[in-house]
Amino acid sequence: MASWAALSPSIVEYFEGEDFYRCGYCKNESGSRSNGMWAHSMTVQDYQDLIDRGWRRSGKYVYKPVMNQTCCPQYTIRCRPLQFQPSKSHKKVLKKMLKFLAKGEISKGNCEDEPMDSTMDDAVAGDFALINKLDIQCDLKTLSDDLKESFESEKKKGKKKEESNELIQSQDVEEKLGSGEPSHSVKVHMVPKPGKGADLSKPPCRKAKEIRKERKRLKLMQQNPAGELEGFQAQSQPPSLFLPKAKSNQPKSLEDLILESLPEDASHKLEVRLVPVSFEDPEFKSSFSQSFSLYVKYQMAIHQDPPDECGKTEFTRFLCSSPLEAENPPNGPDCGYGSFHQQYWLDGKIIAVGVIDILPHCVSSVYLYYDPDYSFLSLGIYSALREIAFTRQLHEKTSQLSYYYMGFYIHSCPKMKYKGQYRPSDLLCPETYVWVPIEQCLPSLENSKYCRFNQDPEAVDEGRCKEPDRLQVFHKKAIMPYGVYKKHQKDPSEEASVLQYASLVGQTCSERMLLFRN
């Protein structure tokens, strides 16, 4: 792992113009458009800054959709894990996993919880024969139908919630979002009409088991008023103190749900291992063959890929080859920054692998592949929840690392809306590159595929390239500012290409990264 002081700069090779290729979402043969560059090497800070400007990597190919021209605009989406609360459907998936691990229990109909509709086509047309530029169509798996229904119901204003806890929780979430929306009316608990729910003015109902326990305690106290009851001492305290303690309204945390203790005789054992993406790492190297076999099984079963399209070369180039240099600064997470495989081992066998990048401010999800035989566990949803919890864990030591990036949100594609279910979350404005709460973006997206989310008409891209001559060029083994380089160039198209690159990566990255020119 590279030392913090000896990092080499990012070296990128920009592909002039725009790529036109078949869209993996709407299947338009030439409707998807993007700009791209090949990253020979890249620091994690540069990649963090790039994804905060709408870029995304697939292997070593880094691309940025032309948002106002592409058929299916792809908005960078991030979740805020520190405020995240799992939904009912999320809890259902976590409980399903716990039941399977504890008792080997497989619920009927679980396969329907996770439609297998993600695609991974060779969507980016390559200009160079040796460069396979893949477009990742889906980073996580889709959520269950009931989760999609809850997404639709959330958009309906003024919808009454039947559960009082849900009313309280929804209000708390609105306060945490800080979305800047008009304030919502305060929700007051009213006495419901007959048949319309619980009357909150009356004491809450108690389970029969609790009532029986209380009767038993009171009976024992009457028989032995001086003192010692079975299992505890009365100590002359009034009977009211022995009533069952009121249950806390505080919902279980994500970590509580994931790490709930299992019985000693549990049917299965699940272990999650974080492995650096490096053939120099012994754990990555020893598990490569099993991981590759799982990838092939997944691609052929889920995406119907022929065997010749999911070979070892494709797997390595797409999911094991990363431009990110491993970095381990003293103030960073214990695992360091870089690209990793998060392997899910069930009873000594890998059943899923989440490919992630750990960056200075976020965990970025790249891809997930899993054993189709375990589809009933909704591993796409489960792994996303684990990655959110993992981000929170990293945040404990590295305070600035506090976001979970889920790739692209595509509102115009119904199957890709599921990412908006991990709340609270933000979408990146494609013009000013500021983050806007997704609740503020959805009304605009209902009216138009392409939207500028920043409502300030005067706002501009603050990180835009204002001084292109300061851009760093790597030419004939020498590093020089573009202002020096361009004096020796006579091709007018050269300047147009460099200026396009500078406008897309911004001033900061243009001065830090080296633009390779031959």
Side-chain angles (χ1 to χ4, degrees):
M1 187 169 284
S3 66
W4 188 247
L7 291 174
S8 60
S10 304
I11 301 175
V12 299
E13 191 170 352
Y14 182 68
F15 302 134
E16 184 179 352
E18 298 165 1
D19 285 329
F20 296 77
Y21 52 90
R22 182 177 184 272
C23 179
Y25 309 111
C26 70
K27 310 307 179 185
N28 186 316
E29 289 301 323
S30 60
S32 192
R33 304 183 181 186
S34 70
N35 299 104
M37 58 187 174
W38 187 259
H40 295 276
S41 67
M42 184 167 286
T43 66
V44 292
Q45 185 60 60
D46 284 339
Y47 186 54
Q48 176 73 66
D49 291 344
L50 287 174
I51 61 174
D52 284 336
R53 292 183 63 83
W55 291 82
R56 182 92 176 139
R57 83 171 182 88
S58 176
K60 289 191 172 185
Y61 180 66
V62 189
Y63 63 100
K64 185 181 190 300
V66 183
M67 296 292 283
N68 59 352
Q69 296 180 33
T70 193
C71 54
C72 297
Q74 302 162 53
Y75 300 92
T76 302
I77 182 171
R78 73 178 186 185
C79 170
R80 285 177 258 156
L82 305 187
Q83 291 83 38
F84 175 80
Q85 285 291 341
S87 68
K88 284 186 176 180
S89 292
H90 293 150
K91 292 176 183 177
K92 185 178 176 182
V93 170
L94 295 173
K95 289 176 182 177
K96 182 167 57 177
M97 175 64 83
L98 288 171
K99 286 181 180 179
F100 173 72
L101 295 176
K103 303 176 182 179
E105 184 178 314
I106 301 174
S107 303
K108 294 181 180 179
N110 282 343
C111 291
E112 297 177 2
D113 286 348
E114 189 176 23
M116 301 171 187
D117 60 6
S118 62
T119 60
M120 191 193 78
D121 302 323
D122 290 356
V124 185
D127 296 320
F128 302 92
L130 297 177
I131 298 176
N132 181 15
K133 298 184 271 181
L134 299 170
D135 181 29
I136 302 171
Q137 299 302 331
C138 182
D139 311 312
L140 309 170
K141 302 281 91 55
T142 51
L143 294 181
S144 56
D145 291 336
D146 58 335
L147 198 54
K148 290 181 180 178
E149 288 174 10
S150 70
F151 179 75
E152 294 299 324
S153 65
E154 281 181 14
K155 294 194 292 185
K156 296 178 182 177
K157 294 182 179 179
K159 178 173 173 58
K160 292 183 179 179
K161 307 270 178 138
E162 294 180 359
E163 301 273 339
S164 61
N165 284 346
E166 285 183 17
L167 281 166
I168 296 168
Q169 189 173 341
S170 66
Q171 205 168 7
D172 290 341
V173 171
E174 286 173 6
E175 291 172 0
K176 289 177 181 177
L177 287 176
S179 62
E181 294 178 345
S183 58
H184 298 269
S185 58
V186 177
K187 294 171 181 170
V188 180
H189 292 302
M190 304 296 290
V191 177
K193 295 178 181 179
K196 294 294 183 179
D199 187 346
L200 297 177
S201 65
K202 296 179 180 179
C205 293
R206 291 163 56 199
K207 291 183 179 179
K209 188 176 181 181
E210 291 180 357
I211 295 173
R212 287 197 302 271
K213 284 183 177 180
E214 182 185 347
R215 285 175 182 167
K216 186 176 181 181
R217 280 194 291 268
L218 290 173
K219 187 176 180 181
L220 287 169
M221 287 183 67
Q222 290 171 357
Q223 294 173 353
N224 189 4
E228 296 192 6
L229 303 184
E230 189 177 347
F232 64 97
Q233 288 190 337
Q235 296 179 344
S236 302
Q237 293 177 352
S240 60
L241 293 182
F242 295 101
L243 295 177
K245 292 182 180 179
K247 289 187 177 181
S248 172
N249 288 330
Q250 188 70 24
K252 279 189 176 182
S253 70
L254 178 60
E255 291 76 10
D256 290 338
L257 293 166
I258 290 174
L259 302 175
E260 191 168 315
S261 60
L262 294 171
E264 290 184 6
D265 60 344
S267 299
H268 301 284
K269 179 183 178 182
L270 179 69
E271 182 184 359
V272 181
R273 302 179 190 173
L274 186 71
V275 181
V277 177
S278 169
F279 285 99
E280 295 179 1
D281 182 84
E283 200 167 356
F284 179 82
K285 196 173 180 179
S286 64
S287 62
F288 178 84
S289 180
Q290 189 179 162
S291 184
F292 167 62
S293 297
L294 177 63
Y295 165 79
V296 174
K297 184 177 182 180
Y298 172 81
Q299 292 299 132
M300 292 178 66
I302 306 303
H303 301 299
Q304 290 77 50
D305 283 0
D308 60 336
E309 289 186 10
C310 46
K312 193 168 290 187
T313 301
E314 288 76 17
F315 172 66
T316 302
R317 183 183 297 134
F318 175 46
L319 297 173
C320 304
S321 179
S322 170
L324 302 183
E325 294 195 16
E327 303 174 20
N328 198 1
N331 60 340
D334 292 335
C335 59
Y337 298 119
S339 298
F340 297 84
H341 281 189
Q342 200 161 42
Q343 301 173 339
Y344 295 79
W345 290 76
L346 181 70
D347 303 330
K349 181 181 77 169
I350 301 177
I351 63 164
V353 178
V355 184
I356 60 173
D357 293 330
I358 300 178
L359 306 174
H361 298 290
C362 74
V363 170
S364 176
S365 176
V366 177
Y367 199 63
L368 173 80
Y369 54 99
Y370 59 87
D371 190 332
D373 295 342
Y374 294 91
S375 293
F376 61 88
L377 289 174
S378 303
L379 291 170
I381 304 169
Y382 182 78
S383 65
L385 296 172
R386 292 288 303 228
E387 288 170 7
I388 289 173
F390 180 54
T391 305
R392 285 155 58 140
Q393 179 188 334
L394 296 179
H395 170 78
E396 290 179 5
K397 183 190 176 186
T398 311
S399 60
Q400 71 271 19
L401 203 164
S402 54
Y403 296 102
Y404 175 58
Y405 284 46
M406 298 177 281
F408 288 134
Y409 174 82
I410 305 166
H411 191 78
S412 57
C413 179
K415 291 180 179 180
M416 294 298 291
K417 289 184 178 181
Y418 70 91
K419 295 182 183 181
Q421 280 300 315
Y422 296 87
R423 303 286 183 93
S425 56
D426 310 298
L427 297 183
L428 186 68
C429 176
E431 295 182 11
T432 61
Y433 303 113
V434 296
W435 294 98
V436 180
I438 193 170
E439 294 84 359
Q440 294 183 19
C441 305
L442 294 179
S444 300
L445 289 171
E446 288 294 328
N447 297 322
S448 174
K449 286 184 178 181
Y450 174 75
C451 299
R452 170 193 166 107
F453 299 136
N454 193 327
Q455 297 300 308
D456 181 0
E458 303 297 323
V460 296
D461 171 17
E462 296 295 340
R464 67 190 182 281
C465 186
K466 303 172 185 176
E467 300 178 82
D469 282 357
R470 294 172 60 88
L471 179 151
Q472 295 296 298
V473 174
F474 185 46
H475 178 61
K476 292 183 178 180
K477 299 183 179 180
I479 299 173
M480 64 191 78
Y482 177 64
V484 174
Y485 170 80
K486 70 179 181 180
K487 294 178 181 178
H488 306 287
Q489 301 302 313
K490 298 179 181 179
D491 184 358
S493 65
E494 173 86 0
E495 183 171 19
S497 175
V498 172
L499 292 179
Q500 183 185 53
Y501 158 82
S503 68
L504 295 172
V505 303
Q507 185 71 43
T508 301
C509 282
S510 72
E511 290 188 42
R512 253 189 344 229
M513 301 193 305
L514 303 183
L515 176 63
F516 177 77
R517 307 304 287 178
N518 52 12

